[in-house]
Amino acid sequence: MLDIKITKTAAPKAKPADESKLGFGKVFTDHMFIMDYNAGQGWHDPRIVPYGPLSLDPSAVVFHYAQECFEGMKAYRTAENKIQLFRPECNARRMNNTHERLCIPQLPEEDFVQAVKAIVEVEKDWVPHSEGASLYIRPYTIATMAQLGVHASTSYKFIIICSPSGAYYAAGLAPIDIYVEDTYVRACPGGTGFTKCGGNYAVSLLAGQKAEKKGYSQVLWLDSQERKYVEEVGAMNIFFKIGGKLYTAAAEDRDGTVLPGVTRRSIIELLRDWGYEVIEGKLAIDDIMKASREGKLEEVFGSGTAAVVSPVKKLDYEDQSAFINDGEIGPLTQKLYDTMTGMQWGKLPDTKGWIVPVCKG
Ligand code: COI
């Protein structure tokens, strides 16, 4: 159990007046959680302090060798004015899997969850009130040791910042267009694809920019070895409904090239509960385009904490296009969105035991 010291700001900021204009990750709350690590003391000095710049040595390992990682979670305000989290222990576990891959010391999972609850409680007035908006929570770890040798740091900071946010995509739940990237790759076997390290996102930027210039919201990554099998989309996992069955790339917790999304895992559990067959494995882009030509590509949607469930209306691959469900949200996509957000915002009963209460709002 952490003994968290809380220092409140003397100058709280005004809360956003119009929650419909929040966007994603642009506004930050008044406080942040910080905890330090060094080899002698382990994780120590957990504290909540006013949000503000960090002071780091310019030679800190994080700046040079990118030894860092992050998580993405949300806090929701229910109609009864309760503040709650969705499966925070899954983020704690995934963060430790990432830590292991990046030679960062393990962080006790109960301490991670306690820290998230503590900062959310301090910032409870920042949890949005309007439908679809939530407090996005960004825990992250950075390597702080001052050294230029390529070695794991022996000191770290674990930090949590919070951002009241609306929909991840400007278009909200409107279906998006996706560009299938056939040149650049995101991850390769034996690499860091399954982790949430910033490097995975840095290498995605060029393809993302290229796609955005052509009017697409995101790129769909193919496997690095054959450029044949679908993996994931920029900020989400992705599902394809073909001939009544659901397909998504396999995502191993401790290996592999695809991020094991918490929303992805939850959706798979819901779909199986509802009697759908879900295949986690290799799905070739050629088979998806063929299914589209044959009228069997019924629905495509992304899943992620930030994006929740995000319908796709068009996939462009080389010179072919797959148009999905006449540009409308598919019925299963809508049902998944309604069920996930219903549980998260407390409008539906938590039949799966996924909700973790934090405090009264
Ligand atoms: C999330 O969905 O929380 C993510 O981390 C994706 C992203 C915004 C990088």
Side-chain angles (χ1 to χ4, degrees), residues 50 77 83 105 150 154 168 249 272 302 319 324 329-330 338:
R77 185 187 297 276
I83 309 291
V150 184
T154 54
Y168 183 70
R272 289 189 175 143
D319 56 355
I324 300 126
I329 303 181
D338 291 343

Side-chain angles (χ1 to χ4, degrees), residues 24 70-73 136 138 168 196 201 234-236 304-307:
F24 175 78
F70 68 97
E71 274 298 321
M73 317 165 65
Y136 186 77
R138 176 52 65 89
Y168 183 70
K196 226 161 159 52
Y201 295 82
M236 322 184 281
T305 298

